[in-house]
Amino acid sequence: MKTLIYFANADTIRNSGIGRAMSHQLTALKEVGVETTINKKDEYDIAHINTYFGKSHRVLKKAKKKGIPVIVHGHSTYEDFRNSFRLWKLMEPTFDHNLKYMYSRADLIITPTPYSKNLIEGYGIAKKVIDISNGIDIPAYERKEEYVDAFYQRFGLKKGEKFFMGVGFPFQRKGLIDFIEVARSFPDIKFIWFGALQHILTSTKILKAVKHRPGNVIMAGYCKGPVIKGAYSEAQALFFPSYEETEGIVVLEALASRCPLVVRDIGVYKPWLEDGVSAHFCKNNEEFKTALQSLLDHGEDPKILEKGYEVACERDLPKVGAKLKKAYEELLAEFKTK
């Protein structure tokens, strides 16, 4: 069994959640002995397509013409496209059309969470949808002092200085405006947001919020490797006030790092995260402030950190690979009986 793992324009999306999902899929499948290719010109038994526009259409059509089963990965939904890029409202009809085109022609849709599964099933597309996490490379997020040192050196902070972190594209949907507003109530604590987007794609509201942010908010841009891993190891919390996600790989990164997690109370985290058990759920900025102040005053309950780590371990890449392999085998078996 050989699988095409296809991402159109892979280099341009490498720093996004979908880009990291590509890396995770390839690693997860390698762990369980599934042969893969990223070259659409190769021979393959299954096409696993992760993107939705023109080039992806052509790969889908070619596979269908050859009688090769097609999986479309449900990384995106109508809901999580909203309040993202500048002029998203103008792009929404085209985005929705492409999403529906790809999903409606799949032989199987794989999506990261029960929440996104329910959303896609609600679009009226009569296709089988299953949920398999994007997964997380647990060993890669073990604490290492050289990572911690790299973080502190990068930002010129004193070792042990308290700070909160956020991660993601600077979208309104990601809750960056709320991140900045909450930071105003903690003038002596650094709030560091990791993530970057071209100026032309960034919404006016975000540009204005960033321009007028208080002095304790650091817009770090895109960081990877030791710096971001060191931040997870040292932060008082990943403060991630996103309004909509299909999973949130950054959430898994925090859990794998045993970093306290403060998130908005939204459907995507249910039932795999629990408030007060593996994370802290908040409904508004006042609740965010209360949760963050508690972490500053008392630190995190070790039981919550350990439970969160267990959640991440359930999504370790070899386990994700085994689930993907099973889905591939079942799909191939269905095709052989037709």
Side-chain angles (χ1 to χ4, degrees):
M1 177 173 60
K2 185 175 182 180
T3 303
L4 170 67
I5 301 296
Y6 185 71
F7 288 75
N9 303 316
D11 288 341
T12 62
I13 63 171
R14 195 171 301 280
N15 296 338
S16 68
I18 294 179
R20 291 208 298 287
M22 175 183 181
S23 173
H24 287 186
Q25 283 176 21
L26 292 169
T27 302
L29 292 167
K30 183 179 180 181
E31 290 281 351
V32 295
V34 174
E35 185 179 1
T36 61
T37 179
I38 59 173
N39 185 352
K40 62 186 179 182
K41 295 180 180 179
D42 283 350
E43 296 295 322
Y44 50 86
D45 302 295
I46 292 177
H48 187 162
I49 303 174
N50 287 265
T51 44
Y52 311 106
F53 295 91
K55 293 180 181 179
S56 299
H57 294 190
R58 292 191 287 275
V59 171
L60 183 147
K61 289 178 180 178
K62 182 179 179 180
K64 288 283 189 179
K65 188 175 181 179
K66 290 184 174 182
I68 295 172
V70 173
I71 295 170
V72 174
H73 210 104
H75 296 292
S76 297
T77 63
Y78 301 153
E79 288 77 7
D80 78 352
F81 185 70
R82 297 169 184 162
N83 292 307
S84 53
F85 301 96
R86 183 197 291 265
L87 303 178
W88 68 268
K89 289 184 179 180
L90 293 178
M91 296 185 286
E92 187 176 27
T94 300
F95 177 84
D96 289 359
H97 170 78
N98 279 277
L99 213 60
K100 186 174 182 179
Y101 178 94
M102 294 297 294
Y103 288 163
S104 64
R105 286 159 177 78
D107 297 299
L108 174 67
I109 300 170
I110 297 177
T111 193
T113 56
Y115 171 78
S116 53
K117 176 180 184 290
N118 289 336
L119 286 182
I120 294 170
E121 288 176 335
Y123 298 161
I125 298 169
K127 299 292 180 177
K128 183 179 180 181
V129 186
I130 63 173
D131 60 277
I132 300 175
S133 171
N134 285 314
I136 185 69
D137 184 355
I138 294 293
Y141 287 87
E142 292 179 0
R143 179 187 175 91
K144 294 185 179 180
E145 287 306 314
E146 58 262 39
Y147 294 173
V148 171
D149 291 342
F151 163 73
Y152 282 113
Q153 290 171 11
R154 168 69 174 78
F155 293 100
L157 302 181
K158 296 178 182 178
K159 198 161 188 179
E161 183 176 344
K162 293 182 177 181
F163 68 95
F164 294 109
M165 65 184 291
V167 185
F169 279 132
F171 290 160
Q172 190 173 344
R173 169 176 67 81
K174 293 288 185 180
L176 176 55
I177 292 175
D178 297 286
F179 184 89
I180 290 171
E181 289 308 306
V182 169
R184 293 185 192 279
S185 297
F186 298 87
D188 297 325
I189 303 295
K190 295 291 192 298
F191 282 66
I192 306 174
W193 186 274
F194 295 89
L197 187 66
Q198 292 179 25
H199 188 278
I200 195 171
L201 297 175
T202 306
S203 74
T204 302
K205 287 184 178 181
I206 289 294
L207 292 174
K208 183 178 179 181
V210 169
K211 181 179 179 180
H212 297 288
R213 69 189 186 276
N216 62 322
V217 174
I218 299 172
M219 298 301 296
Y222 177 72
C223 296
K224 62 179 181 179
V227 171
I228 189 74
K229 290 175 182 177
Y232 278 124
S233 294
E234 288 290 280
Q236 268 48 62
L238 172 66
F239 170 30
F240 189 57
S242 178
Y243 286 86
E244 187 69 31
E245 296 290 324
T246 54
E247 182 174 39
I249 290 179
V250 300
V251 168
L252 297 181
E253 291 172 346
L255 296 175
S257 305
R258 291 186 170 89
C259 176
L261 181 61
V262 178
V263 296
R264 193 175 302 279
D265 187 358
I266 54 177
V268 69
Y269 304 123
K270 300 166 186 177
W272 55 283
L273 286 178
E274 296 180 75
D275 183 29
V277 176
S278 51
H280 302 280
F281 291 2
C282 300
K283 292 183 171 64
N284 52 50
N285 285 358
E286 290 307 310
E287 291 188 7
F288 282 131
K289 292 174 189 178
T290 299
L292 298 182
Q293 187 63 59
S294 178
L295 289 170
L296 287 173
D297 292 342
H298 309 293
E300 182 60 288
D301 183 339
K303 293 180 180 179
I304 294 178
L305 290 179
E306 193 56 35
K307 186 62 179 179
Y309 182 72
E310 290 174 7
V311 170
C313 287
E314 291 167 4
R315 291 154 178 79
D316 198 10
L317 292 183
K319 295 180 180 180
V320 170
K323 291 180 180 180
L324 289 172
K325 182 179 181 180
K326 181 182 178 183
Y328 293 170
E329 290 172 342
E330 290 177 351
L331 183 58
L332 281 174
E334 288 175 15
F335 261 64
K336 286 180 180 179
T337 61
K338 288 182 180 179

